[in-house]
Amino acid sequence: MQKTILIVDFEQESSEELRQILQSEDFLVLTAADGHQALAVFEAAKPDLVLTEALLPKLNGFELCKKITNGELQEVRPVIMY
């Protein structure tokens, strides 16, 4: 079964580079440009992993990580912050 990864990065170039690398390894890749958008994508798609930049507009990566890893969104998933 194909695993899904959510990339959260407001810099489109960085997000695109990561997307290409992960897709070449056969992951389904979703993207979001800010923390609020990431929460919406997370709740809709329930990705297997979240890769997020720490400094994001609207909702920073630390708060996003807290919401995802503490079960506040019903699903707990691993988060890697860079």
Side-chain angles (χ1 to χ4, degrees), residues 34-54:
D34 63 56
H36 285 203
Q37 185 181 23
L39 286 177
V41 172
F42 182 87
E43 289 180 314
K46 305 294 189 234
D48 298 293
L49 174 69
V50 178
L51 296 175
T52 183
E53 185 170 339

Side-chain angles (χ1 to χ4, degrees), residues 59-79:
L59 179 71
N60 69 50
F62 298 101
E63 287 299 316
L64 176 63
C65 179
K66 184 177 174 182
K67 288 179 181 290
I68 292 171
T69 60
N70 74 4
E72 186 175 321
L73 303 173
Q74 311 303 326
E75 299 282 336
V76 175
R77 296 290 192 266
V79 176

Side-chain angles (χ1 to χ4, degrees), residues 4-65:
T4 303
I5 298 176
L6 170 59
I7 298 170
V8 189
D9 195 329
F10 68 94
E11 294 179 8
Q12 187 173 1
E13 186 176 317
S14 298
S15 181
E16 181 61 24
E17 287 175 11
L18 279 172
R19 186 188 63 76
Q20 288 178 3
I21 291 167
L22 293 169
Q23 282 182 332
S24 74
E25 295 296 326
D26 202 33
F27 290 101
L28 174 60
V29 179
L30 307 171
T31 60
D34 63 56
H36 285 203
Q37 185 181 23
L39 286 177
V41 172
F42 182 87
E43 289 180 314
K46 305 294 189 234
D48 298 293
L49 174 69
V50 178
L51 296 175
T52 183
E53 185 170 339
L55 303 175
L56 295 170
K58 299 183 182 175
L59 179 71
N60 69 50
F62 298 101
E63 287 299 316
L64 176 63
C65 179

